[in-house]
Amino acid sequence: FYGEENWRGRHAWETYKRELEAKGEVLDWSKFIPPPVPDTRNFALTPIVASCYSRILDKNGHRIEPQNTNVVNRLEMQIYSNCREWPTNHDRHPNGWQHGVEIDLAGWQEYFRSPTLPNYNCPDTNEFPTSPQLQSPAADVLLALSKFDPAIEELRQASALLHSRFPLNYDEPLPQDILPPHLQSLKLCAGVLQLRAAAELQNGQNEKAFDDVKLALFLANSIHDEPVEISQMVRANIIGNAIQPIWEGLAGHKWTETQLEEMERELAGLNFLSDYDFVVRSQRAMDLQSIDHERRTHNAGVSFMFGDESYDFRTRMELFYYHSFPSGWFYQNNITLARAFQQSLRTDSEVEKRILPPQIAQRIGYVMGETDFHHRSSYYFYLPMLFPDFGKTARIFAFRQASIDMARTACALERYRLANGVYPETLGALAPRFIEKLPHDVINGQPLHYRRTDDRRFLLYSVGWNETDDGGVVVLIPFNEVPDVEKGDWVWQYPAK
């Protein structure tokens, strides 16, 4: 029985593997590992950046045991505190451009100037610098954030190194064990840069705001090559942080012609459609590597699948069943998993049209439904545990690319307005003078919807994840009043004058 199952599984996997590789698919995990970067040219190894991970990892990505408690993480720019009471109307995660709302600087001013709460083990001194007298919201916010100025300026100098490779241990036997301690710090830093840029725009410091937006985009690109899904999700989050001040500067006509041109060029270099394909393929290679490791060891899966808790009788039976697997069943699981990932990729037609449509989520849903149907089969053992929710990933990446494309188009519209005094009647007037080529809707490949409004502004939108033209209507989630990206349109609009 074992001999037959082992031969059948290996033969079936080798056959399917050759079919995929003949189509140009890469299944080897090592092919997704970023190439080395010389230390002297590596942004991630500069002292300010290394402080965010060198407590836990050395420069080769190996864990430090015990942790180096002497390291101070200078990128841990924490502005959310349990020691202060949040104003009731304050949005802690501002991405208000989606429904035409600027960052609430007055709310942040109130927060930074509020006294610390008792009985929370809070420091006796103020966490943030404040002025004796109330200033403008922008001035008070910038003063509070000035505690981070030295670190941000050192980070800006480090960004002169154009190459970046964080020292992750890609040699981990189970790639899921790769530790990325730098991601949280990059997110925190991007949040500070977003708030700083918004306050600088309100304070008339447009050049400083522009530099902070560029630094946020650089932080996002510093992890562009990391073949780990969470890294790409954080990257999408950081770019979202940068888009808010870009939008606010456009709404207030704060950016110059030169800044608009450079900003559009920076955004044009971002491609979350191909990044989505990269995430699917790298995750597939990672999971195949993990299954191969399980096949060779059999015992490593105990902690990988079930954790280190004490096992009940049922779990012990499952472990006994797992340990009795013929090696051929691991190969059959490779086939099942690889096919599911293949269904998650964009088709050749979708790649050619430059779209990331909701049909991908539907195909993934079908795969998971098939998994439920075959849940008793040993060939489907790993799929529920390893296969990510790429339907959600596809939606996030499609929305992020749509927001980038609308930001690029909005920069071109503003350049047109600077040259002609009004926005154009149609988007066709923008190319090629103000933008080389107009981006289209990433959902269906059709032109983005655009019309001028009565207040001498405009409405620009994608049909969104529901694939329906709702006339530029944004649907808000009840109670927390943030846009529902699964419903309504994805809209770029400015507050009414």
Side-chain angles (χ1 to χ4, degrees), residues 227-244:
V228 183
E229 184 184 17
I230 184 61
S231 296
Q232 298 303 322
M233 298 294 275
V234 168
R235 181 168 167 265
N237 181 279
I238 292 174
I239 290 173
N241 283 337
I243 285 179
Q244 178 69 28

Side-chain angles (χ1 to χ4, degrees), residues 188-417:
L188 291 174
C189 187
V192 172
L193 290 170
Q194 179 197 60
L195 185 55
R196 260 180 46 135
E200 286 161 345
L201 286 169
Q202 289 298 315
N203 213 37
Q205 298 171 290
N206 300 351
E207 193 63 40
K208 288 186 175 181
F210 181 66
D211 289 341
D212 282 346
V213 168
K214 288 198 299 181
L215 183 56
L217 292 174
F218 181 89
L219 293 182
N221 285 330
S222 71
I223 55 176
H224 176 259
D225 294 334
E226 292 184 5
V228 183
E229 184 184 17
I230 184 61
S231 296
Q232 298 303 322
M233 298 294 275
V234 168
R235 181 168 167 265
N237 181 279
I238 292 174
I239 290 173
N241 283 337
I243 285 179
Q244 178 69 28
I246 290 174
W247 175 88
E248 294 193 14
L250 286 165
H253 306 307
K254 302 292 182 67
W255 303 124
T256 66
E257 164 79 14
T258 302
Q259 289 170 339
L260 291 166
E261 188 175 6
E262 184 175 348
M263 205 160 347
E264 192 277 325
R265 189 165 55 247
E266 289 271 349
L267 294 172
L270 302 173
N271 187 344
F272 271 87
L273 305 189
S274 62
D275 291 342
Y276 170 79
D277 294 335
F278 172 74
V279 165
V280 174
R281 289 185 167 100
S282 63
Q283 187 70 39
R284 175 176 59 189
M286 175 187 291
D287 290 351
L288 291 175
Q289 169 86 357
S290 297
I291 294 178
D292 187 60
H293 177 74
E294 297 294 298
R295 177 183 58 79
R296 287 182 282 105
T297 62
H298 267 73
N299 57 359
V302 173
S303 60
F304 172 56
M305 293 184 296
F306 302 103
D308 296 322
E309 71 277 5
S310 59
Y311 306 128
D312 57 20
F313 177 77
R314 179 177 177 179
T315 303
R316 291 179 183 276
M317 291 299 97
E318 290 174 344
L319 285 172
F320 176 79
Y321 172 66
Y322 164 75
H323 283 299
S324 68
F325 265 26
S327 64
W329 289 4
F330 289 95
Y331 289 120
Q332 297 286 5
N333 274 268
N334 281 352
I335 297 173
T336 302
L337 197 70
R339 282 176 173 162
F341 277 96
Q342 199 67 16
Q343 288 294 314
S344 305
L345 288 167
R346 292 187 297 158
T347 65
D348 292 341
S349 174
E350 290 165 349
V351 171
E352 184 179 354
K353 294 178 181 177
R354 191 185 169 272
I355 59 175
L356 185 54
Q359 283 72 34
I360 289 180
Q362 296 168 10
R363 296 199 296 266
I364 295 170
Y366 175 80
V367 168
M368 298 313 294
E370 188 179 53
T371 300
D372 293 338
F373 180 76
H374 292 289
H375 69 283
R376 294 182 183 274
S377 170
S378 299
Y379 295 177
Y380 286 74
F381 185 78
Y382 280 99
L383 189 60
M385 291 182 288
L386 294 179
F387 189 64
D389 183 3
F390 280 128
K392 178 180 178 181
T393 305
R395 187 185 71 243
I396 291 173
F397 279 40
F399 173 74
R400 182 55 62 227
Q401 186 61 50
S403 64
I404 290 168
D405 290 344
M406 289 189 291
R408 289 180 58 210
T409 305
C411 286
L413 285 165
E414 182 65 6
R415 290 179 63 199
Y416 184 98
R417 188 198 66 81

Side-chain angles (χ1 to χ4, degrees), residues 95 98-100 399 461-466 468-491 493:
N95 282 290
Q98 299 174 42
H99 54 298
F399 173 74
Y461 64 93
S462 156
V463 295
W465 204 240
N466 64 0
T468 302
D469 181 359
D470 295 303
V473 172
V474 178
V475 176
L476 300 181
I477 298 174
F479 304 112
N480 62 8
E481 297 298 309
V482 298
D484 188 340
V485 296
E486 294 189 49
K487 301 176 182 177
D489 296 326
W490 295 342
V491 180
Q493 59 185 335

Side-chain angles (χ1 to χ4, degrees), residues 72-178:
V72 177
N73 183 357
R74 297 174 61 204
L75 291 189
E76 192 173 9
M77 303 179 187
Q78 187 61 258
I79 54 178
Y80 305 122
S81 170
N82 291 326
C83 293
R84 295 171 180 277
E85 185 174 357
W86 283 87
T88 56
N89 64 339
H90 185 60
D91 182 7
R92 293 181 60 168
H93 306 286
N95 282 290
W97 69 266
Q98 299 174 42
H99 54 298
V101 177
E102 296 179 343
I103 291 177
D104 180 15
L105 293 180
W108 278 103
Q109 179 190 42
E110 179 184 348
Y111 164 74
F112 286 132
R113 295 184 67 88
S114 63
T116 56
L117 298 171
N119 304 323
Y120 279 83
N121 296 321
C122 297
D124 295 332
T125 57
N126 200 322
E127 296 170 90
F128 302 96
T130 57
S131 64
Q133 301 297 323
L134 191 68
Q135 306 181 96
S136 69
D140 269 346
V141 168
L142 289 174
L143 177 59
L145 297 180
S146 66
K147 65 180 290 186
F148 304 121
D149 286 355
I152 288 178
E153 291 315 306
E154 186 175 343
L155 188 65
R156 200 184 313 278
Q157 293 174 18
S159 69
L161 299 177
L162 301 181
H163 300 279
S164 178
R165 187 187 192 273
F166 282 85
L168 306 185
N169 186 14
Y170 293 108
D171 293 329
E172 287 278 4
L174 287 171
Q176 284 81 359
D177 289 340
I178 294 173

Side-chain angles (χ1 to χ4, degrees), residues 247 250 253 406 409-411 413-414 417 423-424 427 449-461 491-494:
W247 175 88
L250 286 165
H253 306 307
M406 289 189 291
T409 305
C411 286
L413 285 165
E414 182 65 6
R417 188 198 66 81
Y423 293 114
L427 294 179
H449 291 268
Y450 167 83
R451 66 174 180 267
R452 292 194 298 190
T453 55
D454 294 338
D455 59 355
R456 296 172 60 84
R457 296 203 163 190
F458 64 86
L459 188 68
L460 178 69
Y461 64 93
V491 180
W492 188 283
Q493 59 185 335
Y494 302 136

